Amino acid sequence: MRPIVVIPARMAATRLPGKPLAEIAGRPMIAHVLDRAREAGIGPLAVAAGEPEIVAAAEAAGAQAVLVADDVPSGTDRVQRAMAVLDPEGRYDVVVNLQGDFPTIAPETLRAVLEPLADPSVDIGTLVCPIADEEEANTPSFVKAACAFEGDKRVAPALYFSRLPIPWGDGPRWHHIGVYAYRRAALDRFVSLPASPLELREKLEQLRALEAGMRISAARVDHGPFGVDTPHDLERARSLLASRGHD
């Protein structure tokens, strides 16, 4: 595999406007996310930016950046459009879509997203971690993945995603982590598809891929990364990164 990591970032976050440039330990959040991706050592890094100020911040942090017009329906579309500029020759055959609000993601967690693509029949790799309790299972903002891991295997097909606590019955349940590794052809196909009925119903774009017959498999990790969505989350990220000495 020849992977590249692309981070979609835009200023107009609903709950935390200007999030990519929010200051953490003296640097913008996008710089910390780039640091974590660099530590994972997957491949080249780039930012698919919605605004010129994000381009400037990414370049100051030593990464390539592409300005993508802010008329795209999702971060996935932003990544795909950026790839057309970054790599028109198709040198990179896997695109890792890393959310720009994971400033503390562990390198081994990010590397795990490539594991499902060891199976050539898998189109998209993603991540899951164990659901801790019933409260988490019943929280609609935490997306659940229907996966059945055999024995100690780390990868399993993702058969469905829902905001409900699926699957039914006794056994482990899995919290979906929104990091993806797309085969390049799968990324291009995905953004060409119209929004699907289940995608619109559950408000989960990965269901578009499943409804189109694409195969998604998930690698399991012990803990999910901490995402920054609110001012409270931002303060927590500042505390975590200050205590780890990232400044």
Side-chain angles (χ1 to χ4, degrees), residues 105-165:
I105 188 170
E108 60 272 18
T109 298
L110 184 54
R111 285 193 292 267
V113 78
L114 295 173
E115 294 177 20
L117 299 187
D119 180 345
S121 70
V122 172
D123 298 296
I124 303 168
T126 193
L127 299 172
V128 295
C129 65
I131 288 179
D133 51 40
E134 287 303 306
E135 180 181 358
E136 183 178 347
N138 286 284
T139 300
S141 60
F142 294 145
V143 178
K144 275 66 72 172
C147 299
F149 293 89
E150 296 181 15
D152 60 357
K153 288 185 178 180
R154 286 172 49 89
V155 174
L159 301 178
Y160 192 69
F161 298 87
S162 181
R163 298 184 183 279
L164 286 173

Side-chain angles (χ1 to χ4, degrees), residues 214-232:
M214 301 172 76
R215 289 194 61 187
I216 303 177
S217 282
R220 59 178 177 179
V221 296
D222 292 336
H223 306 285
F226 163 57
V228 176
D229 289 316
T230 66
H232 175 75

Side-chain angles (χ1 to χ4, degrees), residues 2-242:
R2 298 180 305 281
I4 182 172
V5 179
V6 183
I7 303 166
R10 59 194 290 266
M11 296 293 283
T14 304
R15 288 183 287 179
L16 190 61
K19 180 164 61 173
L21 302 186
E23 182 272 328
I24 301 174
R27 302 168 69 218
M29 180 158 58
I30 191 67
H32 291 280
V33 180
L34 285 163
D35 285 349
R36 304 291 84 76
R38 199 171 281 117
E39 290 164 4
I42 287 173
L45 313 178
V47 174
E51 295 85 11
E53 52 265 48
I54 298 177
V55 172
E59 290 177 344
Q64 288 182 282
V66 175
L67 183 62
V68 179
D70 202 20
D71 60 351
V72 293
S74 72
T76 308
D77 294 87
R78 191 180 303 283
V79 166
Q80 193 268 345
R81 289 197 190 181
M83 283 302 298
V85 176
L86 291 164
D87 183 31
E89 303 89 0
R91 291 170 296 163
Y92 301 106
D93 59 356
V94 171
V95 183
V96 175
N97 180 350
L98 171 61
Q99 290 186 29
D101 56 6
F102 286 153
T104 64
I105 188 170
E108 60 272 18
T109 298
L110 184 54
R111 285 193 292 267
V113 78
L114 295 173
E115 294 177 20
L117 299 187
D119 180 345
S121 70
V122 172
D123 298 296
I124 303 168
T126 193
L127 299 172
V128 295
C129 65
I131 288 179
D133 51 40
E134 287 303 306
E135 180 181 358
E136 183 178 347
N138 286 284
T139 300
S141 60
F142 294 145
V143 178
K144 275 66 72 172
C147 299
F149 293 89
E150 296 181 15
D152 60 357
K153 288 185 178 180
R154 286 172 49 89
V155 174
L159 301 178
Y160 192 69
F161 298 87
S162 181
R163 298 184 183 279
L164 286 173
I166 60 171
W168 183 257
D170 294 333
R173 287 183 292 209
W174 301 96
H175 180 165
H176 179 234
I177 301 165
V179 178
Y180 297 93
Y182 289 88
R183 296 196 193 277
R184 187 73 176 272
L187 176 61
D188 290 341
R189 182 184 176 207
F190 177 83
V191 301
S192 74
L193 295 169
S196 66
L198 289 173
E199 172 188 4
L200 295 172
R201 184 169 178 172
E202 292 259 23
K203 303 294 190 292
L204 297 173
E205 71 171 16
Q206 60 269 42
L207 293 176
R208 185 191 321 173
L210 292 180
E211 287 190 83
M214 301 172 76
R215 289 194 61 187
I216 303 177
S217 282
R220 59 178 177 179
V221 296
D222 292 336
H223 306 285
F226 163 57
V228 176
D229 289 316
T230 66
H232 175 75
D233 295 337
L234 180 59
E235 290 306 315
R236 180 183 172 195
R238 285 169 172 161
S239 176
L240 287 169
L241 286 167

